[in-house]
Amino acid sequence: MKRVGQLLAAVTDPENLRLAFWKASKGKRAKADCRSFQESLDTNLGALRADLLAGQVRVGDYHYFTVHDPKKRTICAAQFRERVLHHALMNVCEPVLERAAVFDSYACRQGKGQLAAVRRAESYARRYGWFLKMDVRKYFDSVDHTVLRGLLRRKFKDGAVLALFDQVLASYQTAPGRGLPIGNLTSQHFANFYLAPLDRFIKEHLGRGAYVRYMDDFVVWGESGADLRGVWREVEAFLAAELRLALKPNVGLNRTAFGMDFLGYRVFPQELRLARRSRLRFARKFRRYECEWVAGRWTELQLQQRMQALVAFTLHARSRPWRRHVLHRFGVVANGLEPRDSRRQLEQLERQRQELPVSEPQQQQPGQQEQQHRVPGCPRPSSSGVLDDAQADPAAILSPGVSFRGE
């Protein structure tokens, strides 16, 4: 494929910079750095454009923090101005990187998210008897800058854009010449692009059509364990020689009928379940969210938003029995706690509501939380706002502060 050049003009185009600001500000409008940048938007975008054209843009001013979900990671949060720069770069360069990707490469691609990768893995599990699951050891920390620069120069020939890529890479190192900062938009695309040669090697050189990769987690399917052991050796040698990477020692080689942990799910030929780690994570977060609400640190709206996001992940798998189990074991009433509005208060408020004339608006009682409007005949949401896939079953709804004493 021909290398692409003359990209700096597109990157610095005022409309592209405005689009980059809009993308960078999604979900960040309440933050001080975003508001400050927006207050003088034209001036700030003009200054960024001038710095880009002069080759004097500053990068690498990171704020570091640690997360432990699902494992300990150091996150590098760039300043808002630099995040606008990253979006401006990727608006123009992402289509070039996209052309290097194979169909079964997922993550950081339109329509190629986590669930799409899992569904693709399900389809292969139904067709093949064995799987080989591999994962790169400390992937983001191990990406070699020299190798990545070489790969980028095979796709781009614009010197100014390549210089920007080099600046971003040089702004972070876990070891001399290695590492990508987790949290950067550019890091996500670079990390996915870095393993494109591996995709080609497995699909074209080894001739393995049944293959799925989500970032550095990848799986190959086959008809026998002995056959896949040969693939394992070939892949390990290729990663070490060409990309200077190593596999984690916990390579999985087994029959598909026994199930495979992949991206938080347990993939079987005929069904999808939650992986053990996902179940533990769900129960831990469920208990913490309820404690925040009972203690009064969260409003019901905040609780609903977090519960909906938590439950959404589980709805794609056969998880209803597990959610019922968590509800009965860890729910508010099960822990000996009572909601801030008792059942008697709620029943009294309901009677008062029914006694009001239809034409008169309901008066909100002191201390009463605002009632949610609902369509008649629809199931009433719980205080967490989460409805199960079987909405008529109250025990399947994860609702803090609701007692099922009548069951």
Side-chain angles (χ1 to χ4, degrees):
M1 185 181 72
K2 290 180 61 177
R3 294 189 302 156
V4 180
Q6 305 299 320
L7 296 178
L8 185 62
V11 172
T12 58
D13 182 87
E15 290 303 314
N16 181 56
L17 293 176
R18 282 186 173 275
L19 176 61
F21 163 75
W22 178 77
K23 289 183 175 181
S25 65
K26 289 180 69 174
K28 308 289 185 182
R29 293 296 178 94
K31 293 189 176 296
D33 55 354
C34 180
R35 292 200 308 270
S36 175
F37 193 94
Q38 188 176 9
E39 286 172 0
S40 304
L41 182 60
D42 291 335
T43 301
N44 287 325
L45 291 181
L48 177 59
R49 183 174 187 272
D51 288 348
L52 285 169
L53 292 173
Q56 298 177 348
V57 68
R58 179 180 175 181
V59 299
D61 189 8
Y62 300 127
H63 164 64
Y64 297 90
F65 61 94
T66 303
V67 298
H68 297 82
D69 187 21
K71 57 185 178 182
K72 184 178 179 180
R73 298 179 188 274
T74 300
I75 306 299
C76 306
Q79 297 297 316
F80 185 79
R81 186 176 191 265
E82 186 175 344
R83 293 203 295 272
V84 175
L85 166 64
H86 294 167
H87 280 281
L89 273 173
M90 288 300 108
N91 287 344
V92 175
C93 299
E94 180 183 358
V96 181
L97 301 179
E98 173 68 20
R99 291 200 290 272
V102 300
F103 180 85
D104 281 324
S105 167
Y106 296 80
C108 305
R109 300 177 64 195
Q110 189 69 29
K112 298 282 187 175
Q114 181 181 23
L115 183 60
V118 171
R119 292 304 187 196
R120 187 68 164 171
E122 263 192 302
S123 69
Y124 285 135
R126 287 192 289 267
R127 293 162 51 191
Y128 294 91
W130 288 77
F131 70 85
L132 172 67
K133 181 178 178 295
M134 294 168 280
D135 188 4
V136 178
R137 181 177 178 273
K138 295 185 178 179
Y139 179 51
F140 274 75
D141 289 347
S142 301
V143 170
D144 189 280
H145 292 181
T146 302
V147 174
L148 180 54
R149 289 192 185 101
L151 293 174
L152 290 170
R153 278 159 175 75
R154 294 180 190 176
K155 302 298 178 185
F156 301 92
K157 62 180 180 181
D158 189 307
V161 169
L162 289 171
L164 280 171
F165 287 160
D166 291 346
Q167 274 187 271
V168 172
L169 289 176
S171 69
Y172 178 87
Q173 296 185 75
T174 55
R178 285 183 177 268
L180 292 175
I182 300 175
N184 275 5
L185 176 68
T186 51
S187 296
Q188 298 174 33
H189 289 283
F190 287 164
N192 209 28
F193 171 70
Y194 192 81
L195 288 179
L198 173 66
D199 299 337
R200 299 288 180 184
F201 176 77
I202 292 176
K203 286 187 134 326
E204 297 172 5
H205 181 76
L206 299 182
R208 298 290 169 168
Y211 166 76
V212 169
R213 178 174 68 83
Y214 186 91
M215 198 56 76
D216 61 313
D217 290 336
F218 53 100
V219 189
V220 182
W221 285 265
E223 297 297 347
S224 71
D227 180 38
L228 291 177
R229 285 185 185 276
V231 174
W232 179 355
R233 290 191 293 269
E234 295 263 16
V235 167
E236 196 168 32
F238 178 86
L239 286 174
E242 300 295 329
L243 300 178
R244 302 177 187 176
L245 298 173
L247 291 175
K248 285 183 179 178
N250 60 338
V251 174
L253 176 63
N254 212 331
R255 295 182 183 272
T256 56
F258 295 153
M260 174 189 70
D261 283 353
F262 188 55
L263 305 180
Y265 295 97
R266 184 81 175 166
V267 180
F268 290 88
Q270 302 302 327
E271 67 176 353
L272 194 65
R273 302 179 189 174
L274 291 176
R276 180 177 180 274
R277 179 181 290 180
S278 295
R279 296 198 304 270
L280 295 175
R281 174 177 176 270
F282 180 91
R284 182 178 69 251
K285 286 197 169 187
F286 177 80
R287 297 175 69 183
R288 180 163 63 85
Y289 292 174
E290 281 201 329
C291 288
E292 294 291 328
W293 177 72
V294 170
R297 289 188 290 268
W298 283 0
T299 65
E300 286 197 0
L301 177 59
Q302 290 174 311
L303 178 68
Q304 289 169 10
Q305 292 170 340
R306 286 164 174 81
M307 281 291 190
Q308 286 171 349
L310 181 63
V311 173
F313 178 83
T314 71
L315 294 178
H316 303 291
R318 187 174 69 83
S319 59
R320 179 181 169 188
W322 168 250
R323 294 197 301 273
R324 290 169 59 92
H325 168 74
V326 173
L327 171 65
H328 288 296
R329 184 176 179 185
F330 300 123
V332 172
V333 175
N335 281 276
L337 302 172
E338 289 293 336
R340 284 168 290 178
D341 289 327
S342 68
R343 174 179 289 273
R344 181 174 299 175
Q345 288 176 307
L346 293 175
E347 290 175 351
Q348 181 179 359
L349 292 172
E350 180 64 19
R351 285 195 300 270
Q352 292 174 354
R353 185 189 67 81
Q354 293 174 354
E355 293 171 359
L356 287 173
V358 175
S359 59
E360 294 183 14
Q362 298 179 30
Q363 299 296 321
Q364 186 171 346
Q365 302 296 324
Q368 175 191 351
Q369 296 185 358
E370 184 177 353
Q371 297 293 313
Q372 295 184 357
H373 299 286
R374 68 186 186 95
V375 178
C378 292
R380 184 182 300 276
S382 67
S383 57
S384 65
V386 177
L387 290 178
D388 192 273
D389 38 13
Q391 294 181 343
D393 183 359
I397 301 173
L398 295 176
S399 56
V402 178
S403 170
F404 297 110
R405 296 186 182 117
E407 294 187 354

